[in-house]
Amino acid sequence: QVQLVESGGGLVQAGGSLRLSCAASGRPFSNYAMGWFRQAPGKEREFVATITRTGGSTYYAVAVKDRFTISRDNAKNTVYLQMNSLKPEDTAVYYCAADFKYRGRHSLQEYDYDYWGQGTQVTVSS
């Protein structure tokens, strides 16, 4: 079992920044790729970003590329999502997730992931 706990959400004005954290426990952190997803009210949950086990490769949704940065600290069992230049359309509940399977590609789909956190709310005011 893996437990994932997100933190760092909150209310921020458009153009501002937030850094989300996701602390993992239960299994060696370096054994799994990590991802961030988000779900806005009335919408499907969508992919935001993913990072490989070593942190050597990342991939972003077009909507957040060049504004958000995913990173991880395997010594601290934590993955981060630095969000800059926030827009009202970034308002959502943000979830981190863990993928244990070794793939020849980035983990971009919800069904790629085995464990999920409870989510943290990010609200961007205009």
Side-chain angles (χ1 to χ4, degrees), residues 50-104:
T50 188
I51 189 167
T52 54
R53 287 162 178 76
T54 63
S57 182
T58 58
Y59 191 87
Y60 298 91
V62 171
V64 306
K65 189 173 174 58
D66 298 327
R67 297 189 299 122
F68 291 10
T69 302
I70 188 171
S71 62
R72 65 190 296 162
D73 186 337
N74 286 353
K76 294 183 178 180
N77 294 346
T78 302
V79 64
Y80 304 97
L81 186 68
Q82 177 67 44
M83 305 185 296
N84 298 331
S85 302
L86 282 161
K87 305 175 181 180
E89 50 263 45
D90 294 319
T91 294
V93 177
Y94 283 72
Y95 299 89
C96 68
D99 174 14
F100 279 93
K101 302 176 186 66
Y102 284 87
R103 308 179 189 277

Side-chain angles (χ1 to χ4, degrees), residues 7-78:
S7 61
L11 174 64
V12 64
Q13 288 189 329
S17 298
L18 281 175
R19 188 175 82 154
L20 305 183
S21 299
C22 172
S25 62
R27 292 177 68 169
F29 187 62
S30 59
N31 283 3
Y32 37 94
M34 296 295 297
W36 286 97
F37 287 73
R38 66 186 182 186
Q39 187 168 21
K43 294 188 175 181
E44 298 284 320
R45 188 155 57 182
E46 65 177 3
F47 167 78
V48 175
T50 188
I51 189 167
T52 54
R53 287 162 178 76
T54 63
S57 182
T58 58
Y59 191 87
Y60 298 91
V62 171
V64 306
K65 189 173 174 58
D66 298 327
R67 297 189 299 122
F68 291 10
T69 302
I70 188 171
S71 62
R72 65 190 296 162
D73 186 337
N74 286 353
K76 294 183 178 180
N77 294 346
T78 302

